[in-house]
Amino acid sequence: MNTTLKEGVDWVGYVDWTVRDFHGYFTNRGSSYNSYLIRDEKVALIDAVKAPYAQVLLDHVSALVPLEKVDYLVINHAEPDHAGSIPAVIQACPGIEIVCDARCRDALDAHFDTTGWTFKIVGSGDSLSLGKRSLSFLETPMVHWPESMFTYCPEEKILFSMDAFGQHYASAHRFDDEEPMDVVMEEAKTYYANIVMLYAKPIARVLGQASELDIDLIAPSHGVIWRSHIDRIKDAYAKWVSHHKEPKVLVIYDTMWQSTEKMAQALVDGALSVPGVNVRLFNVRSSNVTILATEVLDAATVAVGSPTLNQTLMPAMAAVLTYWKGLKPAEKAGFAFGSYGWAQGAARDIEQYLKDIKFDLIREPLQVRFVPKKETLDECREAGKLLAEKALELSS
Ligand code: FEO
């Protein structure tokens, strides 16, 4: 496996082939925790890995340089998937200095007993000489946590971008052009939707600042390193942060005795009668929150359905909408639908979620008592057309 980015700059991280649950994110293709080693007059390790994989990281480093020769550990992000192995690195590398911003120092103090650790606090515009090479820093708050930071090596034109541009994607190769790009881009989109969709504004600001950098390689903390498709991932991020919408209708539902399912299928039939739209249908219980966050990212219109259970919506749908309420998919239009029996509640509560997420509600909730007959299904087909026409309008 080629792990050399440029002469003297190597990947030394851990490929996590088998992880399938990353704090609730379904990582169907695994992940990687990328660390990088720069060997110059000074030796710098950029980011670490999850705590259980500390020894693998140290083995990778010691294969290239004696551990006592490592001078700096740059911490771009304090989340434990990268910072969890810091204590093991400090123990193995006597004299190592942590390089991070002030917010990161605060976060590390809250995560660890930092007694005896040596820190070099840096901020945007600061530079650290390694000899022939240097590192400069750009604080990137909320991409992904408040203490997040980019590190840039101008002499090698490498941007160490931490979570930004990452993918939960385990692979045998380290570079974008060695892996199937459609899969890599799918995982990059899933990563954006599930990890940083909420932070579109700070990311847009950072993209503006980073656009001034001369870049040969973008080296994120997860997934492949970008070298041949840098414009493609930058263009994708530019679309995502600007809330770009495809002419896409998304219908998601839960069902007990197939009444809400019939309504969902009639909505889809109606939407499909309008040329030029992409229509996607999901039962939330045969999908998952990770997929549905990705699906809503570029949808223009969304219909959300559940039967009433115990005077409210069903729990799997509540999980999806609670997740969306946090991620805040922006500039969507849609409505609620569902069946009920002797008491209503699901459509009302779904609509409240949609209001909280700031959906533009394009019609009142579509409801039926017990089982939809022809006239309700006709109404659903009309509502599906409305979804499609609105999707075309919003995506044009
Ligand atoms: Fe990969 Fe926000 O940590």
Side-chain angles (χ1 to χ4, degrees):
M1 176 167 69
N2 174 23
T3 59
T4 300
L5 282 70
K6 296 208 176 183
E7 191 181 342
V9 183
D10 290 272
W11 177 93
V12 288
Y14 179 77
V15 178
D16 197 348
W17 288 95
T18 58
V19 63
R20 290 293 179 271
D21 179 350
F22 186 97
H23 62 42
Y25 179 137
F26 292 85
T27 47
N28 289 331
R29 293 190 175 102
S31 190
S32 70
Y33 318 111
N34 297 340
S35 296
Y36 302 96
L37 188 74
I38 304 179
R39 287 170 290 155
D40 204 312
E41 291 163 30
K42 296 282 189 181
V43 176
L45 183 59
I46 313 278
D47 288 316
V49 297
K50 261 187 184 174
Y53 312 120
Q55 193 54 51
V56 178
L57 168 67
L58 293 170
D59 289 347
H60 285 161
V61 174
S62 61
L64 296 168
V65 67
L67 293 176
E68 60 272 19
K69 298 280 188 193
V70 183
D71 297 287
Y72 301 117
L73 172 56
V74 177
I75 296 295
N76 284 317
H77 183 18
E79 192 163 7
D81 51 331
H82 312 292
S85 57
I86 294 176
V89 172
I90 287 177
Q91 193 169 29
C93 304
I96 197 169
E97 199 168 4
I98 305 278
V99 179
C100 66
D101 67 24
R103 292 187 195 91
C104 189
R105 165 77 200 256
D106 179 59
L108 295 178
D109 284 341
H111 278 81
F112 304 102
D113 177 2
T114 59
T115 308
W117 294 15
T118 309
F119 285 91
K120 183 184 288 295
I121 302 302
V122 295
S124 290
D126 288 346
S127 186
L128 176 66
S129 175
L130 301 179
K132 294 188 189 68
R133 304 174 184 83
S134 64
L135 299 175
S136 61
F137 306 100
L138 173 64
E139 291 172 86
T140 59
M142 303 321 298
V143 189
H144 156 222
W145 279 13
E147 83 300 341
S148 300
M149 181 174 86
F150 283 2
T151 294
Y152 176 61
C153 180
E155 294 80 9
E156 301 290 2
K157 302 180 183 175
I158 303 174
L159 178 66
F160 300 97
S161 65
M162 176 253 314
D163 279 351
F165 310 114
Q167 328 96 51
H168 280 314
Y169 180 59
S171 58
H173 308 103
R174 301 276 57 82
F175 294 97
D176 55 359
D177 47 37
E178 299 173 308
E179 291 291 320
M181 267 311 289
D182 55 340
V183 173
V184 172
M185 288 305 297
E186 182 185 323
E187 292 301 335
K189 180 180 176 183
T190 302
Y191 190 92
Y192 177 90
N194 282 271
I195 301 288
V196 290
M197 187 199 299
L198 173 61
Y199 305 120
K201 265 191 193 167
I203 294 170
R205 189 164 53 242
V206 164
L207 289 179
Q209 293 168 312
S211 68
E212 294 163 17
L213 301 174
D214 190 7
I215 293 173
D216 281 351
L217 298 172
I218 296 178
S221 292
H222 300 284
V224 299
I225 297 161
W226 301 94
R227 71 176 174 192
S228 295
H229 300 282
I230 288 174
D231 285 346
R232 187 160 171 186
I233 188 64
K234 282 169 73 178
D235 289 349
Y237 263 66
K239 274 176 134 178
W240 297 332
V241 298
S242 64
H243 311 306
H244 169 82
K245 292 167 283 297
E246 297 291 329
K248 172 175 154 184
V249 173
L250 175 64
V251 179
I252 67 170
Y253 70 97
D254 202 341
T255 196
M256 279 190 284
W257 297 107
Q258 284 62 59
S259 288
T260 303
E261 183 171 64
K262 285 177 184 150
M263 296 172 79
Q265 285 167 344
L267 286 166
V268 166
D269 287 345
L272 285 172
S273 71
V274 177
V277 290
N278 177 17
V279 184
R280 309 276 288 161
L281 174 67
F282 291 88
N283 179 328
V284 292
R285 277 188 289 134
S286 57
S287 186
N288 64 53
V289 293
T290 306
I291 290 170
L292 295 174
T294 311
E295 286 291 336
V296 78
L297 175 67
D298 57 3
T301 56
V302 187
V304 179
S306 168
T308 292
L309 174 68
N310 303 325
Q311 299 179 51
T312 188
L313 66 163
M314 290 182 70
M317 184 60 81
V320 171
L321 292 176
T322 300
Y323 195 45
W324 286 9
K325 193 171 160 181
L327 289 170
K328 293 188 173 42
E331 301 177 11
K332 309 299 176 192
F335 55 83
F337 69 98
S339 64
Y340 63 92
W342 55 96
Q344 298 188 32
R348 173 201 64 208
D349 291 347
I350 289 170
E351 187 175 77
Q352 187 58 52
Y353 269 108
L354 299 183
K355 284 180 183 170
D356 291 344
I357 305 168
K358 304 204 182 317
F359 268 54
D360 174 17
L361 297 173
I362 56 173
R363 60 157 292 154
E364 70 279 6
L366 188 48
Q367 299 192 75
V368 68
R369 182 167 174 267
F370 282 120
V371 176
K373 303 279 179 15
K374 182 179 179 305
E375 66 186 39
T376 302
L377 294 175
D378 285 346
E379 190 182 359
C380 289
R381 280 185 277 274
E382 283 306 309
K385 276 190 203 169
L386 178 66
L387 284 170
E389 286 159 2
K390 189 72 178 176
L392 290 174
E393 176 195 324
L394 291 173
S395 59
S396 60

